[in-house]
Amino acid sequence: MKIFLDTARLDEIQQAVDWGVCDGVTTNPSLHSRAVAHEGDNAIGYRERILRIADIVDGPISAECVTRTTVELIAEARELASWHPSVVVKIPIDGPGLAAIKALSEEGIRINTTLIFSLNQALLAARAGAAYVSPFVGRLDDIGENGIGLVADTVNLLDRFNLPAQVIAASLRNTDHTAEAARVGAHVATIPFPVLEQMQRHPLTDKGIQAFLDDWHKAEAALRAQPVS
Ligand code: E4P
């Protein structure tokens, strides 16, 4: 399973790249807005942000459309895709979105279909030519549905019918979500930075490191205390 970072913050992306665990990035208007608020007086616009991310990460970077008709989506997607070869255009699933996905994928523009909440939506996006489909796990769990179940079903559907789209498990909220996404075979998990940090941790690792250090110092002290012969 590849790891994308689900953020628009450059500092978080740089840290994940330094850790060697960032295969790509997904952004959306809300993440851009949060990054702008975090950056304050040094905030940058969306185009500049995507270009700066492309300088940091060697992998797909999802940039999301904010228009609503097919004609507008096609024009906006072409513009986003022209910014950098790494750009994957995010388009929400609906009728105008599907028509745009068909036209754009025929032009060779890679599409990440977003806001997927059902297997039917995933099937339509994949059939229309999307390169990625993004089931939203956390938001489904929020309304009492099974988000990881949809990821598993989508992986199986694409495999059974030999559809080339890849599944991005999105809207992941915790480390159970990331582990489950891997277990059910998601091609990609897009992970918020705090969850990526949490994935490294285990209390037994901390305890183990401390015990090894204590024993090392004990051995060193015993060696220093030996009589000089
Ligand atoms: C990523 O592609 C999605 O936009 C993102 O994972 C949504 O996450 P949220 O449901 O936490 O906003």
Side-chain angles (χ1 to χ4, degrees):
M1 181 173 78
K2 289 196 169 160
I3 294 175
F4 289 2
L5 209 61
D6 198 19
T7 185
R9 275 182 53 177
L10 304 178
D11 57 334
E12 294 180 339
I13 294 165
Q14 184 64 62
Q15 177 63 82
V17 167
D18 291 346
W19 283 332
V21 291
C22 183
D23 299 304
V25 172
T26 53
T27 70
N28 64 33
S30 305
L31 293 171
H32 172 58
S33 177
R34 263 180 249 159
V36 164
H38 175 80
E39 290 157 357
D41 290 344
N42 298 319
I44 53 176
Y46 199 44
R47 181 173 186 278
E48 174 69 11
R49 183 175 306 286
I50 296 296
L51 293 177
R52 298 268 290 272
I53 294 172
D55 280 344
I56 302 171
V57 180
D58 183 17
I61 302 162
S62 287
E64 186 155 344
C65 287
V66 291
T67 52
R68 298 302 310 126
T69 69
T70 300
V71 170
E72 290 170 326
L73 283 167
I74 290 173
E76 187 183 10
R78 285 178 181 151
E79 167 67 18
L80 294 176
S82 77
W83 290 352
H84 194 279
S86 294
V87 169
V88 171
V89 178
K90 251 171 137 180
I91 295 181
I93 178 76
D94 64 4
L98 282 171
I101 291 164
K102 177 185 186 304
L104 292 160
S105 60
E106 284 173 359
E107 289 176 21
I109 293 176
R110 290 175 298 166
I111 307 297
N112 171 1
T113 311
T114 191
L115 290 165
I116 297 281
F117 293 101
S118 75
L119 195 57
N120 285 324
Q121 290 178 322
L123 173 62
L124 294 175
R127 292 294 311 166
Y132 298 98
V133 294
S134 290
F136 273 39
V137 174
R139 294 193 198 187
L140 276 171
D141 287 3
D142 288 346
I143 60 162
E145 294 192 24
N146 180 357
I148 288 294
L150 177 58
V151 174
D153 288 346
T154 306
V155 169
N156 291 336
L157 174 95
L158 299 182
D159 186 47
R160 175 176 300 186
F161 296 110
N162 221 10
L163 291 163
Q166 294 195 23
V167 177
I168 302 180
S171 187
L172 302 179
R173 303 269 173 78
N174 54 54
T175 52
D176 284 346
H177 280 161
T178 57
E180 284 300 311
R183 197 168 285 134
V184 301
H187 304 94
V188 181
T190 189
I191 303 176
F193 186 77
V195 177
L196 188 71
E197 275 190 312
Q198 193 66 37
M199 286 168 71
Q200 306 164 24
R201 302 208 184 103
H202 195 285
L204 292 179
T205 304
D206 297 338
K207 199 175 159 191
I209 288 171
Q210 194 56 54
F212 286 149
L213 290 178
D214 290 347
D215 288 342
W216 176 260
H217 292 308
K218 204 188 297 174
E220 288 293 291
L223 289 169
R224 272 198 304 275
Q226 277 180 342
V228 183
S229 51

